[in-house]
Amino acid sequence: MRRDVSLGRWKSYASISQQSRHQICHLILSLLSLPPSLSLSLPLCLSLCVSLVKFDDCQHSKAVDFESSDPNFSVRPDGSVYAEQEVANLSDPVQFMVTARGGHDPHIWETTVKLALAGHPPSVPVSQIGVEDMIARAWDSNPRVIKFPRKHQRSSSANGLRRQKRDWVIPPINVPENSRGPFPQMLVRIRSDQDLEKGIRYSITGAGADQPPIDVYNIDPVHGKMFVTRPLDREERASYHLRAHAVDMNGNKVESPIDLYIYVIDMNDNRPEFQNQVYNGSVAEGSKPGTLVMQVTANDSDDDTTANGMVRYRILSQTPHMPIPNMFTINSETGDIFTVAAGLDREKVSQYTIIVQATDMEGNLNFGLSNTATALISVTDINDNPPELTARTFSGEVPENRVNVVVANLTVIDRDQPHSPNWAAQYRIASGDPQGHFLIRTNPVNNDGMVTVVKPVDYEQNRAFMLTVIVSNKAPLASGIQSSLQSSAGVTISVQDVNEPPVFPSNPKSIRFEEGVPAGTTLTVFAAQDPDLFIHQTVRYSKLSDPANWLRINRTNGQITTMAVLDRESMYVRNNIYEATFLAADNGSPPASGTGTLQIHLIDVNDNAPVLLPKEAQVCERASPRSRVNITASDADADPHVGPFVFELPSYPPSVRRNWTASRISGDYAQLRLRIPYLDAGVYDVPIIVSDSGNPPLSNRSMIKVKVCPCDDNGDCTTTGAVAAAGLGTGAIIAILICIIILLTMVLVFVMWMKRREKERQAKPLLIDPEDDVRDNILKYDEEGGGEEDQDYDLSQLQQPEALDHIICKPTGVRRVDERPVIAESQYPIRPSLPHPGDIGDFINDGLRAADNDPTAPPYDSLLVFDYEGSGSTAGSVSSLNSSSSGDQDYDYLNDWGPRFKKLADLYGGGDDD
């Protein structure tokens, strides 16, 4: 057996009828499915529906009897709980039992109903109370208390009544969102009827308890009270599925887990939100009423199955109010905007601004939330305005023979949208120009028509043109729109006479002549005509271009005569045609001139003898298949004055025909070869007579230089043979070899002399004893003082003296040997920057000679001044040159300075040599 108990809550008001109360009661009970025990906050009125008890047994019995233990309340067969008498004040909660019996079933079922008073709300008409407000008021009352029902089974056996296993059934729990608390707020109390027999611990699991979002719900483990800990938001989560568990103190399961379904009741807490704040739409001007313009859409995050999420649309305002304030309407449910009136004209109003409001609660402005958006409706253009010319006639003028000149400008007015096909004008010349001299182009900026000359006009043929022009749009006119009478106009074009240049009737003019005509021959008359028929003018001729300077033209009549012989083979003739250009000028104001080209087609005559090719050849000295040369000829004339050619050897000198023979291969080629078995190597000039096929034929005696040389097995000339064939005899070859040998000998002698001189320079003795040569050890440069061996000199004078007066005042010729003289110094030789090793000795010798002959130099070789840097030094002594010469100084410490000072240690440290 299974039973469901669902109780609803209601607040009564005396001002409503009983029938209305029944309807509202069932409405709320359908929204709230509550547990079997409920605390109600209401003043109860007689015969008012308080609750609803639903009963369902396994046998689906229709006849169910309910009995209430409290006479003040009764339960009707449909499960409705009614107050039998007026109960205006409930200071204490009222609790009674409800028993259900089936018609033919001996079993009974019981449940507990608990009523409590929470407050006395004011009497408000039902029409002013929203369903959400009713639900919120009902939920803010005392929480529900759920007891596990007890099921009894009557038995006719000896055991009497028998207790069956309990079912744990809890209906869904509805919780309104955005509750103000206080929190935690109790929802239900879960109890097991075994809590009287043993200690029970309750727990819940699932999303919202121990799973994210965590701790939205919790339960008192001892008393089974389940709480919600914070306000809920249906838009974040609309329902929760929890499982309730009951265990004993040892953790053993007492009841099977049951499912708890918690539904968050939607509240109208979200305004409709438009997808865009500004919507852009368009509608063609002249559209009929009912034309769809655009659609706006607003979304409400509330439950769209309830009035909270049902959005309705309406238009708040339209700007401008032309031609009427309500040009558009909107479908309240879909947001589609339509036209409702005719009269849309883009030329008057190009855009409308509409403020659209979206309201939930099915558009109820008292309870619903609203939001607004802007709809911009552009009125698109149609071609409902034909173009109109601003004048009935236009005029212009053009000089003759001018092209691409604008002669007239046609202005037009079109009220359609600028720079659109409905506005762009097209012009057409309907009559007055059969030969197509004019074309009207449209200015894309201002839509004007530019009458342009595309074919030259002649004043002598037409002095004026009368044109009929029609203008239209690129796009056709809208349906029902007729063309305007002002769409056509007349255009008068006057032609101005100008001085035209003379014109050659045939240009270029072609004539045919044989080449070779003598000078002074008249070829033709190349005259020009002046197109200015109404003005008498004189034409004069001159030559403008004559590359070969063959022609002359008469200045008055244009007669062409030759100045030289015409040659078809000239470099100035191209494809047998010679071109010359002449100028014809009139005496008009201003003067005008024209040019003409004369083309002379020169007919070829046989005036060029053939020329033998090639000019040189090479054959072997012995007759063989390789001792042959293929020859041909070239002729500057044209056919038929060229080949086939005739090749023959002259009879003089006789050696030509004795050594050579020529045989014909084809019409243009012949073969020259040796007639004798062997011919000495050398160069031979072989004359050959070549004749063409002209009438009469022309002949030419040409020479071919043939090199005869010894050949190897492959038939190629050897090197010696090539030299011999070049014309050098044995004596010449020997002379060349002797010259080469002499040249090599001279080069060898020069090299030997250079090496000898080098040895002599290196062999010169140096001033230094070879035993004292330390070039391999230490090289000293710019020595400014004596060494340790100069012990007999007073070197203290090298220090800066305190004054120079005692030196300057000394008599001439009396000087100290260790002082620098103040008189002019002698010039010492300059040492080269990179001297040759052999020049060092020469440099030192030159320095010694200069010092010996210098009266200002000290008499000691060790005190030569090579570079004087000033009169003393402020630094004092620069070395230990003042050390005593007693020789008792200890130089043993030099042995500790490393290998670099080993040589000094050996010299001064008292080594083994001492």
Side-chain angles (χ1 to χ4, degrees), residues 32-111:
L32 294 176
S33 179
L34 302 177
S37 182
L38 173 67
S39 295
L40 300 178
S41 301
L42 71 167
L44 299 178
C45 298
L46 184 61
S47 300
L48 175 63
C49 172
V50 177
S51 179
L52 179 65
V53 178
K54 295 182 180 180
F55 170 78
D56 183 16
D57 64 357
C58 296
Q59 299 177 355
H60 302 284
S61 300
K62 296 183 179 179
V64 180
D65 296 331
F66 297 96
E67 293 183 3
S68 173
S69 62
D70 190 340
N72 293 326
F73 300 94
S74 64
V75 181
R76 294 185 179 181
D78 61 352
S80 301
V81 180
Y82 283 85
E84 294 297 335
Q85 58 184 352
E86 183 174 343
V87 182
N89 185 14
L90 292 176
S91 59
D92 297 325
V94 177
Q95 182 174 334
F96 56 91
M97 298 292 297
V98 176
T99 303
R101 293 185 177 89
H104 303 286
D105 193 340
H107 301 88
I108 63 173
W109 292 266
E110 295 179 353
T111 187

Side-chain angles (χ1 to χ4, degrees), residues 396-405 407 437-438 453-465 493-503 530-535 537 586 589-590 592:
E397 59 183 17
V398 57
E400 62 176 337
N401 300 321
R402 296 283 299 276
V403 294
N404 295 326
V405 178
V407 297
H437 292 280
F438 303 96
V453 181
V454 295
K455 185 178 180 180
V457 295
D458 190 355
Y459 174 82
E460 285 72 25
Q461 295 181 358
N462 292 300
R463 298 187 180 185
F465 292 86
I493 306 296
S494 300
V495 181
Q496 298 177 343
D497 187 23
V498 297
N499 183 26
E500 299 177 77
V503 178
D530 192 348
D532 295 319
L533 302 179
F534 302 101
I535 303 176
Q537 298 177 135
D586 60 17
S589 178

Side-chain angles (χ1 to χ4, degrees), residues 748-764 836:
L748 181 60
V749 170
F750 179 76
V751 171
M752 293 177 65
W753 177 77
M754 290 294 295
K755 288 185 177 181
R756 182 177 179 182
R757 184 173 179 274
E758 183 70 21
K759 290 180 179 180
E760 290 178 353
R761 295 179 62 180
Q762 294 179 359
K764 289 183 178 181
H836 191 274

